[in-house]
Amino acid sequence: MDTGKVINKISNRLRRRSHVIQKSIGITGAQGTVLDYILVEGMERDIYQKDIEQEFGLRPSTATQILKSLEAEKLICRVADEQDGRWKRIIFTKEAEKIRSLLKQEVEDTEDLLLQGISQEEQRLFMDIAERMLKNLE
């Protein structure tokens, strides 16, 4: 069995689905993924570039490039943190909020398709195994 190959195929197909909706919005796959994270997590807490680097395993230069492109599209802005001005909070704009529902619907539709015919127990088992695999690779 070639576990890595199957995981890679799933990842590629998920990415392809995401690219279709993201292209219709006018953003790249990486921008869409990061923007979705900012839109979801930004509702609950302050988001900083470090959070994005850690969440997606990005180098600081790559994260900077993605964030600059999202700023250029006027989907995010960075503002000085109230406690420490050296840190810049990343906040989404009204423009980003307009596409939030499209991104959310795309994620929900893909999740439904991905888990079709898979029981709750199988899903829990898969997540447990996948998390252990991820930890093994750290």
Side-chain angles (χ1 to χ4, degrees), residues 65-110:
Q65 181 183 5
I66 293 169
L67 292 173
K68 280 184 178 180
S69 65
L70 289 171
E71 275 184 306
E73 296 290 329
K74 301 197 183 329
L75 296 171
I76 65 162
C77 60
R78 292 187 255 194
V79 296
D81 186 75
E82 288 128 15
Q83 275 77 35
D84 187 344
R86 295 172 296 178
W87 288 87
K88 303 289 186 222
R89 284 187 309 123
I90 300 167
I91 57 173
F92 55 86
T93 63
K94 288 188 188 330
E95 193 66 34
E97 257 190 289
K98 292 177 188 174
I99 63 174
R100 168 193 222 114
S101 62
L102 288 172
L103 291 173
K104 185 175 188 255
Q105 189 61 53
E106 186 266 328
V107 167
E108 288 173 2
D109 291 348
T110 299

Side-chain angles (χ1 to χ4, degrees), residues 8-25:
N8 195 35
K9 282 182 179 181
I10 293 169
S11 177
N12 286 338
R13 289 184 186 164
L14 287 171
R15 198 172 315 134
R16 235 179 271 135
R17 283 184 58 85
S18 292
H19 286 282
V20 171
I21 189 72
Q22 291 164 350
K23 188 175 181 182
S24 74
I25 295 169

